[in-house]
Amino acid sequence: MARILIGTVPILGHINPFLPLVRELAARGHELRWYTGAKYRGVVEAAGATYAPMVEARDYDDANTNAAFPGRDQLAGTEQLKFDMKHIFINNGVAQLHDLQTLTRSFQTDLLLADSAFVGAGLLHELTGLPLGVLNVLPLGLSSRDTAPFGLGLGPDHSPFGHLRNRALQWSAETLLFGDVQRSWQAARAKVGLGRGPWLLDWARNSSLYVQPSVPGFEYPRSDLPAHVHFIGALPVGRPAGWEAPTWWGELDGGRPVVHISQGTIANQAPALIAPALAGLSDEDVLVVVSTGGRPVEQLLRGSVPDNTRISTFLSYPDLLPRVAAMVTNGGYGGAQLALSYGVPLVVAGTTEDKPEVAARVAWSGAGLNLRTATPTPTQVRDAVRALRSNCRYRARPQALQAEYA
């Protein structure tokens, strides 16, 4: 039996990927403590772990991050991203470290397991040598001579010219665009007694184990990929607790191609994708199935529901995805991995968080189309779905990836 301390930021998309792993570890008899936000205590305990609360670190509701971090709502784009990197991840990471130090004094930990945004885990690993496993819940973002810096949404280039491009962009990111973020990172490290460290997004490069829930066919090839990085395919998901199929479920097998629309569980306060997708597909000979990610249906609709559309707050992906011909998504990483593991081609429309990187990989891998906007027009969505249905490439490539995930 091992004593495993788990650390995740209190964000649903960072917690869900850990659930099948934690359930399996609990079933094998390991003793688990899970440190995260109070909102997810029930989820943690249901998975078989003992909940450990945030004490010094700022807890927050991922459905309303602005309330916990004053001033965030006044920013947008790169400035908001920089704010998040400084305050939500770096500064809060120092407080996470203090909480973890307290926990490890009472819970004699054999292994620390953390998500890739949980900076405090990396600080503890460096200070104590405690073995650290990182489960990356985002596209692979470790810097490489073959790729542009994470966040730009640029494809790989491993030519001599590409190496120059990538090096120049990496320097620009670290010293110019995110120079103030990098200085905050170095100051935080000095505050806890550590010397100068790498680029912030490379903090997990020195972990004991780095696990990527994807396949090489979806990720950019890297000639300098660290040896401790392992691809494990898409993490399995089960039916949501208490989920029952809606009354219209039988229509999924009615002969019309099924198009699934998802705007995720975080960036879904307004129907930026759902509304134009419904409008664009309203006259198509398809059955449109929408998941609101837990938001009230009325909040994400504009006007009446088209006759060919069915809506639910949550859906069971193991039951839905085998029936789906195409998926329109804002680019959530976990949802994209699951869809491709079922061979479903994607239309991606997202520009915040990691979504440009997901969209770029979808296009690069041949698994679908990148609309390069978070607010597509109805015509853009309609034409993209038509392209996925009519072009054999967008059936063959997702099917090849499905075999790789399997």
Side-chain angles (χ1 to χ4, degrees):
M1 182 185 73
R3 295 163 67 88
I4 303 173
L5 178 59
I6 301 156
T8 57
V9 295
I11 298 174
L12 182 62
H14 291 243
I15 289 173
N16 276 345
F18 279 76
L19 293 177
L21 176 58
V22 170
R23 293 189 192 104
E24 181 65 23
L25 290 170
R28 296 187 184 193
H30 300 297
E31 187 175 353
L32 309 173
R33 295 280 176 90
W34 192 338
Y35 168 85
T36 192
K39 176 180 178 179
Y40 293 104
R41 177 171 185 162
V43 173
V44 164
E45 293 175 342
T50 300
Y51 172 71
M54 292 180 163
V55 179
E56 286 199 38
R58 183 173 298 180
D59 196 354
Y60 55 94
D61 183 349
D62 55 345
N64 189 14
T65 306
N66 291 338
F69 296 92
R72 183 179 186 270
D73 59 346
Q74 304 300 314
L75 304 172
T78 301
E79 290 306 310
Q80 188 180 82
L81 175 59
K82 291 165 68 173
F83 179 97
D84 291 350
M85 294 169 78
K86 292 178 187 176
H87 299 283
I88 299 179
F89 300 115
I90 296 175
N91 294 344
N92 219 26
V94 173
Q96 292 163 0
L97 167 66
H98 296 157
D99 283 347
L100 293 177
Q101 289 172 324
T102 300
L103 282 168
T104 54
R105 282 195 286 269
S106 59
F107 182 69
Q108 296 182 355
T109 306
D110 299 309
L111 170 68
L112 180 60
L113 180 63
D115 85 72
S116 49
F118 195 83
V119 175
L123 298 176
L124 184 66
H125 172 66
E126 286 193 65
L127 286 168
T128 66
L130 181 67
L132 168 63
V134 173
L135 174 61
N136 186 27
V137 300
L138 307 171
L140 186 57
L142 298 177
S143 61
S144 167
R145 69 169 72 98
D146 299 321
T147 63
F150 187 84
L152 299 182
L154 296 175
D157 190 338
H158 49 77
S159 68
F161 174 79
H163 286 172
L164 290 174
R165 179 205 74 167
N166 299 333
R167 191 180 307 123
L169 289 172
Q170 186 68 42
W171 180 87
S172 298
E174 293 185 29
T175 61
L176 300 178
L177 183 58
F178 295 102
D180 53 337
V181 172
Q182 189 68 1
R183 288 189 290 274
S184 294
W185 170 231
Q186 302 299 359
R189 291 177 58 85
K191 184 177 180 180
V192 301
L194 291 171
R196 289 186 62 82
W199 166 231
L200 172 62
L201 299 187
D202 274 347
W203 73 263
R205 185 180 287 274
N206 71 346
S207 61
S208 312
L209 173 69
Y210 191 100
V211 178
Q212 186 70 32
S214 185
V215 294
F218 183 75
E219 266 298 343
Y220 302 147
R222 290 168 166 81
S223 58
D224 51 359
L225 186 70
H228 70 302
V229 176
H230 298 266
F231 290 92
I232 61 168
L235 288 162
V237 297
R239 289 179 176 174
W243 182 81
E244 295 182 2
T247 56
W248 46 260
W249 195 256
E251 297 179 52
L252 297 178
D253 300 317
R256 282 189 293 177
V258 176
V259 178
H260 175 45
I261 302 172
S262 171
Q263 207 174 303
T265 57
I266 297 296
N268 61 1
Q269 295 88 347
L273 175 57
I274 290 177
L278 293 186
L281 299 173
S282 61
D283 293 328
E284 298 292 286
D285 186 22
V286 297
L287 180 65
V288 179
V289 176
V290 180
S291 171
T292 68
R295 298 281 178 184
V297 172
E298 301 78 14
Q299 183 177 336
L300 294 180
L301 293 180
R302 292 176 183 162
S304 59
V305 178
D307 291 339
N308 67 340
T309 299
R310 307 293 178 264
I311 302 178
S312 180
T313 52
F314 282 109
L315 292 167
S316 172
Y317 270 7
D319 295 286
L320 174 66
L321 289 177
R323 297 172 165 87
V324 171
M327 179 172 171
V328 181
T329 171
N330 68 343
Y333 184 68
Q337 298 304 298
L338 277 173
L340 293 175
S341 73
Y342 284 91
V344 178
L346 302 171
V347 175
V348 187
T351 58
T352 59
E353 297 94 26
D354 61 319
K355 293 175 178 62
E357 294 291 339
V358 175
R361 283 159 172 77
V362 166
W364 173 84
S365 67
L369 295 169
N370 177 8
L371 297 187
R372 301 180 183 276
T373 177
T375 55
T377 65
T379 300
Q380 284 178 298
V381 177
R382 183 201 65 197
D383 290 349
V385 170
R386 285 180 178 178
L388 294 192
R389 294 181 57 204
S390 62
N391 190 329
C392 61
R393 175 195 178 193
Y394 295 121
R395 292 191 298 273
R397 185 58 187 146
Q399 289 172 357
L401 285 172
Q402 179 183 13
E404 191 175 352
Y405 281 96

